[in-house]
Amino acid sequence: MSHFIDALHCQNKLRPPIWLMRQAGRYMPDYMAYKNGKSLLSLFRDKKAIVDITEMPITHLNMDAKILFSDILIVLDLFSIPYDFVDKIGPRISKVWSLNDFDHFDLKKLDFLFESIDLLVQNKNKPLIGFAGAPFTIASYLIEGGSSREYKKVKQLIYSDPKTFYKLLDMLSDAIIQFLDKQAESGVSALQLFDSWANILSYEDALLYSVGFLRKIVEQRRHKEVPLIFFSKGSAPYLEQIIQTGVSAISIDWQQDLMRVRKLTPSHMAIQGNLDPSIFYGTKEGLKKAVDTILDKMQGHPGFIFNLGHGIMPDAPYEMVKFLVEYIQCQK
Ligand code: CP3
């Protein structure tokens, strides 16, 4: 029995399950000790590290689901496109890309990850969530060569050569579909698609490049028995269109009113969210109040999954995170 799986099927009659985006990371003293100067990329490619770090938030914080310790950029391995993670800066992709880079696709390049999934699901403590970056967000990293504030190069391509941009997303989405399906075959209980940067798009472009490719992924993936959660920031203007794709669950950012979300969402669709990740910098009283507000808005919805509205901050005080998990888990 799992609160998390029940909630994904909108059949949870108990307290809501909780897990946090980026739950395996730097706010955890155990993660920092484990990392101990090792490069992030070496951890992402090491089966034992993947398993050990994925289990940390279960062992130490008793989260209701474990998310695979990997990164959205790992999909670039399928095309042998090199990338790196620079300390305090983030992802870096030095190669200048071209559409030809996507001719050679080899799912075997990620065998170590599928084998890690295999190991992780043998431990039946908590359900495992697999994931991928959405085509738009992956393309943004590729085009910018890393994180960006304004995504100028992405916008330049969208407005100067939309055909090439669309083709790039289309090729990436084909790979992402196979990547998600293979994770499902390897045994994950759920999948999440991260379109973290879709909020920089105009309304029309968000429909085309974010929602459009979500629809394609929902329709073309084979393992529909494994629920798919969709996360993007700033999705309020086109929430209805996201819902219409038929995705299994929607993950909501912290700026949205969950009451409105609940009213717009059909009863068979699960809802995940949406505590402000910065709440941990405040007091326990403030945290409780914010959680109570969310729980009130969801009114015991059988498909509600408690989470943050975006990934946890690297310097979130550990004690506050622990307090949150305990507070949710003592709800009736
Ligand atoms: O949620 C989890 O605990 C699972 C693992 C996970 C990571 N990245 C590990 C990671 C997941 C689900 C991701 C997704 C991811 N990666 C996203 C989408 C979610 C989001 O937050 O919007 C994005 C945009 C990335 C790209 C990425 N990876 C960035 C921008 C950075 C650097 C920024 C930062 O936080 O330092 C990373 C590095 C990264 N990926 C870390 C972790 C735990 C940092 C760890 C470290 O430096 O030790």
Side-chain angles (χ1 to χ4, degrees), residues 88-159:
K88 299 193 173 61
I89 296 180
R92 181 183 54 194
I93 307 162
S94 310
K95 187 181 189 306
V96 179
W97 66 278
S98 83
L99 287 179
N100 298 334
D101 292 334
F102 300 94
D103 289 342
H104 304 287
F105 166 87
D106 184 3
L107 206 52
K108 284 201 181 58
K109 290 263 163 68
L110 288 181
D111 271 352
F112 68 90
L113 193 68
F114 306 128
E115 286 160 20
S116 308
I117 293 176
D118 202 45
L119 294 169
L120 280 161
V121 297
Q122 282 173 30
N123 184 349
K124 301 203 183 318
N125 54 359
K126 297 289 161 72
L128 177 66
I129 307 168
F131 68 90
F136 173 72
T137 293
I138 299 295
S140 300
Y141 278 106
L142 197 62
I143 295 166
E144 296 288 334
S147 303
S148 165
R149 197 170 287 239
E150 286 156 0
Y151 290 91
K152 189 173 164 190
K153 290 183 189 163
V154 175
K155 296 268 178 163
Q156 274 172 339
L157 185 61
I158 291 177
Y159 291 126

Side-chain angles (χ1 to χ4, degrees), residues 31-318:
Y31 172 82
M32 292 312 284
Y34 194 101
K35 198 177 169 196
N36 189 24
K38 292 187 204 71
S39 86
L40 199 48
L41 209 49
S42 70
L43 295 178
F44 285 143
R45 296 205 169 124
D46 173 354
K47 269 196 277 184
K48 181 165 168 15
I50 295 170
V51 172
D52 290 347
I53 299 175
T54 301
E55 293 288 357
M56 275 180 193
I58 308 302
T59 319
H60 300 284
L61 288 161
N62 193 33
M63 297 287 182
D64 292 313
K66 48 190 183 189
I67 180 158
L68 189 62
F69 179 73
S70 184
D71 195 81
I72 56 168
L73 293 179
I74 203 109
V75 73
L76 298 178
D77 283 14
L78 298 174
F79 304 103
S80 305
I81 298 176
Y83 56 92
D84 200 357
F85 294 95
V86 188
D87 246 3
K88 299 193 173 61
I89 296 180
R92 181 183 54 194
I93 307 162
S94 310
K95 187 181 189 306
V96 179
W97 66 278
S98 83
L99 287 179
N100 298 334
D101 292 334
F102 300 94
D103 289 342
H104 304 287
F105 166 87
D106 184 3
L107 206 52
K108 284 201 181 58
K109 290 263 163 68
L110 288 181
D111 271 352
F112 68 90
L113 193 68
F114 306 128
E115 286 160 20
S116 308
I117 293 176
D118 202 45
L119 294 169
L120 280 161
V121 297
Q122 282 173 30
N123 184 349
K124 301 203 183 318
N125 54 359
K126 297 289 161 72
L128 177 66
I129 307 168
F131 68 90
F136 173 72
T137 293
I138 299 295
S140 300
Y141 278 106
L142 197 62
I143 295 166
E144 296 288 334
S147 303
S148 165
R149 197 170 287 239
E150 286 156 0
Y151 290 91
K152 189 173 164 190
K153 290 183 189 163
V154 175
K155 296 268 178 163
Q156 274 172 339
L157 185 61
I158 291 177
Y159 291 126
S160 65
D161 189 357
K163 277 201 177 119
T164 299
F165 188 71
Y166 192 89
K167 181 75 187 154
L168 170 63
L169 267 58
D170 202 39
M171 292 175 109
L172 281 171
S173 64
D174 288 337
I176 289 163
I177 289 168
Q178 291 200 48
F179 181 41
L180 291 171
D181 273 331
K182 182 74 183 176
Q183 292 185 60
E185 281 163 24
S186 306
V188 300
S189 296
L191 289 160
Q192 180 153 323
L193 190 68
F194 288 94
D195 212 354
S196 305
W197 305 131
N199 60 327
I200 65 143
L201 290 166
S202 70
Y203 176 73
E204 282 74 20
D205 283 350
L207 293 185
L208 192 59
Y209 300 122
S210 181
V211 182
F213 283 97
L214 170 63
R215 189 178 308 112
K216 172 176 166 179
I217 291 168
V218 167
E219 283 168 6
Q220 294 191 9
R221 74 190 188 107
R222 284 182 292 115
H223 291 282
K224 297 192 168 61
E225 73 284 1
V226 177
L228 179 68
I229 308 166
F230 180 69
F231 169 77
S232 76
K233 266 192 311 184
S235 59
Y238 45 94
L239 200 60
E240 281 101 330
Q241 287 90 339
I242 293 175
I243 291 167
Q244 281 160 14
T245 63
V247 71
S248 326
I250 39 175
S251 193
I252 302 294
D253 67 80
W254 71 96
Q255 294 187 306
Q256 299 197 47
D257 171 18
L258 274 192
M259 182 116 70
R260 168 180 175 265
V261 174
R262 178 168 56 75
K263 287 180 179 157
L264 282 174
T265 309
S267 58
H268 62 269
M269 195 170 277
I271 300 169
Q272 177 173 279
N274 80 336
L275 194 64
D276 184 345
S278 300
I279 196 83
F280 297 121
Y281 301 133
T283 62
K284 287 185 178 168
E285 282 317 304
L287 176 72
K288 272 189 184 177
K289 198 165 163 250
V291 171
D292 289 345
T293 303
I294 289 178
L295 296 176
D296 276 354
K297 289 189 181 199
M298 290 313 293
Q299 295 188 354
H301 189 292
F304 179 51
I305 299 160
F306 199 96
N307 206 315
L308 302 177
H310 194 197
I312 191 165
M313 306 285 200
D315 61 351
Y318 185 75

